[in-house]
Structure formats: C-alpha cells, structure tokens
Amino acid sequence: MERLLARFRALATCSHQLSGYVPCRFHHCAPGRGKRLMLSRVFQPQNLREDQVLSPEGKSGDLTCKSQRLMLQVGLIHPASSGCYHLLPYTVRAMEKLVRVIDQEMQAIGGQKLNMPSLSPAELWRATNRWDLMGKELLKLRDRHGKEYCLGPTHEEAITALVASQKTLSYKQLPFLLYQVTRKFRDEPRPRFGLLRGREFYMKDMYTFDSSPEAARQTYSLVCDAYNSLFNRLGLQCVKVQADVGSIGGMMSHEFQLPMDVGEDQFAVCPSCSFSANMETLDLSQKNCPACQGPLTETKGSEVGHTFYLGTKYSSIFNAQFINVHGKPSLAEMGCYGLGVTRILAAAIEVLSTEDCIRWPGLLAPYQVCLIPPKKGSKEAGATELTGHLYDHITEAVPQLRGEVLLDDRTHLTIGNRLKDANKFGYPFVIITGKRALEDPAHFEVWCQNTGEVVFLTKEGVTELLSQVQVV
C-alpha cells in the first residue's frame, strides 16, 4: 500500500474520462446495479456539532476516557442504563467483522462454534461453589416457579455439563475446542469507560477438552498463538502476561493486556527478557525480574483476552469423561479462553484514535470508503453525477468492497463539513469530488486517513489503490 501511494503521488496519467453511464439518482441506481448505501439513511444519533456529550448519568464530566466520548459523539453507542449501551449500526458492523476475524483464527486451530443459553441453572453453579463465590457480580433471578438462575458471565459449568452428558466419548475424538460469541452479564459495582467496563458485553469464550495434561498444554499454547495472530492482524500491540486464576480457578493463567493510559490493570515487563506479569501475581516488594534479576517496568493496560489451564477442576465435578487408549474412563483435561469482543473494539479506538477523531484497525472499519460529492449549487456541482458513477465503478471493479462504500449524500452541507465528519468517523479512505473532478480526465481527491496522505487520482487510479484493501 505504501509503495502504491508513493507511485500515485507522482502520477500524472492520461486516462479516459468517466463516460458511458446512465445518469441515476443517489437513492437508487441504474438497472442491474446494487443499491447505493447513503449516509443520510443510516440510523446514527450523532452529536458531531456539539462540544460535549453526556454520559448515562447526564454528566459530561463522567466521560473519563477518549473511546467512550468519541463513541457517544459520533453515534457508535447510545446509553441505555448504567453500564449498558445500545450498539448502533456502525458498531454492529465493526463487531461483526471482529467476530469474523475471531472465527477465522479459532477455526484455523480446530475450533467448533456453538451457542449456549444465557440463563444458567443455579444447581450447576452450586456444584462448583461459584454461586456464592462470585458474590454480587453474579446477576441472579427466579422464574415463576421459583427456580433460580443466573445470567452467565462465563460458561464453564454449562459446557462441562454438556460434554459430560455425552457418555461414549473416545480419546480418538479429542481434543474438542468448543467456543461461542455471546452476550455476557456482570453486575459491576461501578461501570465506567463505556464499553471498556460494562454490565452487559459480548465475549468469545472457548472451552477445550483434552486427553492428557501434555495435550492440554499443547492446546493452551495453540490458542495463545491464535490470540497473538488475531491481535497482530488488528494492529494491536498486546502483551501476554502471567496472571492469577481468580474465581475461575485452574493451574495456569495468562492475560492479554493492551497498554493504555486509562487501563485498570497494572502489569510489569522486563526489558531484558520475555518476562511479564500482572502486578497481582508479584510480591509488592519485588523490584527485579524473577527470571533474570533485571529491573521491572510497570505499565497500565486493559485486559482484552484471558486464558486458563483448568486441569480437571470442572470435569471432576461434572464427571466429564472419555474412554482412554486402554479402554478405561478418564477425566478430560480442560482449558478456557476468553476474548472481550466489545472491549477489544473500545480498546482499539482508545489506543488508535486522536483526541478528536476515531481510528479503526483496518479490518474493522464499519465502511472502508466514504464518497463526498460537491455541495448542491456549488461551482463543482456539475461533477456531482461523477460521484455516483465512481461509486458504481468501485463496487464493480473491486468486488471485495461491495457493501463497504458509503456515499455522503448530505449535499446541503459543504465538502469541508462533511470531510470533518468523515475524519471523525475514521473511514480509512475518503474520496472527494472537488474542483479537479471537472478536469479532463477527472481527478478525485483521496484522503488516506490512517496514513494522513492526500492524493489526486483518476477513476482507474482510485480502483487500483482500493484493490489493495483487505476486508473480512
């Protein structure tokens, strides 16, 4: 992409002027073409012209982190109640893309996707003593018959009971890597930072079942590598740190921390070796790395992923067994692995964005391209239809961008105002039909938001540039 942009900066080409199109309105298109996506039709309660937006409690001072403020301002989320948000169309598009990337990584290592109920019977949680151990964070309720349930913050009990119900499992069928992406619930005492710490959130939780401790540790390493691959694809510099097993329990645990100023976790890293750990796992008086005795550096971060090697903690309670190579029943060795889906979205915005403008991981941008036609009645208005023609050309010449191009049809606003809005939304590419669109051949002003570069390209140049864009 960098090489292509460098080439286009010096490009002076003679290409055919846009021609051969049947004129069409912006709200529909010529016969045989897909419907154009119009910004004015997107449900997005924006506060773009306001200096401040309010938190769910109605106090702008409660917006203590950048991602929460920006997501409210551009209409990515809307407060419903304390710690709960409506996820609006842009956010849902970005989240669906993130889930597709997660699916790719999980299924590449043999993951199988399922879906478990959010309502979890109390007897499962009492069997592991977590009904009381989880305390007030567990959202509990009774149905009309007096039966107790909780809204699951995690699903170790449910998945182990499910696997235990399969009485004839063989070692030849293992390992199982079973995962879901669902809503989770936690009665946070003080929700804050928008989607970084809420009471209702989306999580990917995987549960693995292996035939031996050695195989379980191999699976553990496999999933951790998949997490590293995921964060690398998103351009997020996460740090894998040793962590406490907490209320989930088990024999080994690691967190994937994304360093950020508003992070609620503190972890230590050693610049001299690969050691890193959550400060909760270290002696407070410990100043040097236990591995190499070098000095430790403390950093704030937000936990976006967590992995646990559980051993037989849950399989022994629910009798989740398989028939081993000797024909005898054995308890499955388990692991569990979480990714905070909505938290990853907010955390990415927190670390990648400027104070005023959202920036997305390239793969997750709700729309890859925003087209801005001239203002109605302006000198450039004669080139208005070229924007629609360019829209059709992009979606035909670059098939992966179908459904990824949005046309800002608010032509009562100036190009400058719409460009400012587009900058806030963080579309990776903003293409303006301005003065140079009246030239022969027509040139379009292309803003590459993630690099800050601006180039003028013909229709063919635009499609060549956009053909390099990766989507999921």
Side-chain angles (χ1 to χ4, degrees):
M1 184 68 77
E2 292 287 340
R3 197 178 305 120
L4 196 58
L5 282 170
R7 173 184 161 198
F8 283 134
R9 280 194 292 272
L11 188 65
T13 182
C14 292
S15 60
H16 296 293
Q17 188 175 12
L18 287 165
S19 61
Y21 290 91
V22 177
C24 56
R25 299 179 185 273
F26 284 144
H27 67 273
H28 64 80
C29 59
R33 295 202 178 102
K35 189 174 182 179
R36 295 175 187 156
L37 300 174
M38 302 299 169
L39 180 58
S40 66
R41 302 297 299 274
V42 177
F43 178 71
Q44 209 74 4
Q46 303 160 5
N47 297 283
L48 293 171
R49 305 287 180 261
E50 299 178 16
D51 294 331
Q52 293 182 323
V53 291
L54 298 181
S55 70
E57 290 74 27
K59 301 176 183 178
S60 61
D62 291 336
L63 300 177
T64 51
C65 75
K66 177 171 53 180
S67 58
Q68 182 185 15
R69 174 173 51 80
L70 288 173
M71 293 181 82
L72 285 167
Q73 188 176 49
V74 306
L76 298 181
I77 57 177
H78 189 77
S81 61
S82 179
C84 296
Y85 290 87
H86 301 286
L87 305 182
L88 299 179
Y90 275 63
T91 303
V92 171
R93 283 181 63 90
M95 190 171 73
E96 287 173 345
K97 291 181 178 184
L98 175 55
V99 171
R100 285 200 288 272
V101 180
I102 291 172
D103 285 340
Q104 290 170 0
E105 295 295 338
M106 295 301 99
Q107 292 170 21
I109 60 173
Q112 301 179 62
K113 196 171 187 178
L114 45 68
N115 203 317
M116 291 178 278
S118 293
L119 277 177
S120 188
E123 57 263 28
L124 293 181
W125 290 75
R126 289 199 170 101
T128 59
N129 295 319
R130 292 211 298 168
W131 184 258
D132 297 318
L133 183 63
M134 292 286 289
K136 292 183 178 180
E137 285 192 2
L138 202 61
L139 278 166
K140 302 174 182 178
L141 63 152
R142 293 177 184 266
D143 67 11
R144 66 179 67 193
H145 306 293
K147 186 172 182 180
E148 291 183 291
Y149 296 88
C150 68
L151 290 174
T154 182
H155 278 74
E156 284 80 13
E157 285 84 356
I159 192 68
T160 313
L162 173 64
V163 171
S165 69
Q166 312 303 304
K167 301 296 186 183
T168 58
L169 292 180
S170 165
Y171 73 94
K172 295 179 181 179
Q173 295 174 266
L174 302 182
F176 284 141
L177 288 77
L178 307 175
Y179 78 100
Q180 61 177 354
V181 179
T182 57
R183 289 179 186 265
K184 298 290 190 292
F185 305 87
R186 186 173 294 138
D187 195 357
E188 290 284 352
R190 186 171 173 246
R192 56 177 178 165
F193 300 148
L195 298 188
L196 286 177
R197 180 168 291 280
R199 304 177 74 194
E200 183 176 350
F201 50 93
Y202 279 88
M203 187 171 81
K204 186 283 303 178
D205 44 323
M206 172 179 271
Y207 306 92
T208 61
F209 297 82
D210 276 280
S211 59
S212 69
E214 295 76 20
R217 288 180 181 274
Q218 290 177 358
T219 297
Y220 188 94
S221 295
L222 194 67
V223 178
C224 287
D225 289 344
Y227 277 22
N228 285 328
S229 174
L230 169 73
F231 292 123
N232 287 337
R233 289 178 66 185
L234 299 179
L236 300 177
Q237 304 302 311
C238 289
V239 182
K240 177 186 172 187
V241 305
Q242 296 177 19
D244 187 80
V245 297
S247 62
I248 288 180
M251 305 164 65
M252 178 172 61
S253 174
H254 289 87
E255 295 168 345
F256 288 77
Q257 293 280 351
L258 185 59
M260 63 176 66
D261 292 338
V262 298
E264 296 188 276
D265 295 317
Q266 287 189 311
F267 62 95
V269 295
C270 177
S272 303
C273 69
S274 59
F275 177 84
S276 58
N278 190 304
M279 294 299 295
E280 294 176 349
T281 67
L282 300 176
D283 189 320
L284 292 178
S285 63
Q286 189 170 348
K287 301 299 180 183
N288 294 328
C289 172
C292 71
Q293 301 306 309
L296 291 172
T297 301
E298 291 186 29
T299 306
K300 287 184 176 181
S302 181
E303 176 196 324
V304 290
H306 207 149
T307 59
F308 298 84
Y309 171 38
L310 301 173
T312 59
K313 172 180 169 63
Y314 293 89
S315 58
S316 61
I317 294 172
F318 293 101
N319 202 29
Q321 296 182 332
F322 66 96
I323 303 302
N324 65 24
V325 68
H326 304 294
K328 303 291 185 181
S330 294
L331 291 173
E333 293 281 334
M334 290 179 59
C336 67
Y337 310 85
L339 285 172
V341 177
T342 40
R343 181 178 287 185
I344 289 171
L345 278 183
I349 289 174
E350 185 70 34
V351 300
L352 298 178
S353 302
T354 68
E355 284 300 317
D356 301 314
C357 303
I358 287 177
R359 292 295 177 265
W360 302 88
L363 289 177
L364 304 188
Y367 295 94
Q368 291 290 333
V369 182
C370 177
L371 300 183
I372 301 179
K375 181 182 180 182
K376 186 177 181 180
S378 67
K379 294 180 180 179
E380 299 83 22
T384 296
E385 288 201 355
L386 293 182
T387 312
H389 298 166
L390 181 63
Y391 187 111
D392 296 337
H393 181 74
I394 292 171
T395 54
E396 290 175 2
V398 190
Q400 72 265 29
L401 292 183
R402 289 172 187 164
E404 293 289 334
V405 183
L406 191 66
L407 197 153
D408 190 342
D409 57 329
R410 302 172 300 162
T411 54
H412 61 285
L413 296 176
T414 65
I415 285 178
N417 277 334
R418 284 176 287 160
L419 177 59
K420 185 178 179 180
D421 292 352
N423 197 29
K424 278 185 175 291
F425 277 104
Y427 307 104
F429 297 93
V430 179
I431 303 175
I432 298 171
T433 306
K435 294 178 181 178
R436 294 196 59 185
L438 298 172
E439 297 177 358
D440 185 6
H443 281 71
F444 300 90
E445 186 177 346
V446 182
W447 289 66
C448 306
Q449 301 278 46
N450 291 334
T451 64
E453 294 183 89
V454 181
V455 292
F456 288 87
L457 303 175
T458 62
K459 175 188 68 173
E460 290 76 17
V462 168
T463 53
E464 186 175 353
L465 174 65
L466 296 181
S467 67
Q468 308 301 312
V469 176
Q470 294 184 356
V471 296
V472 290

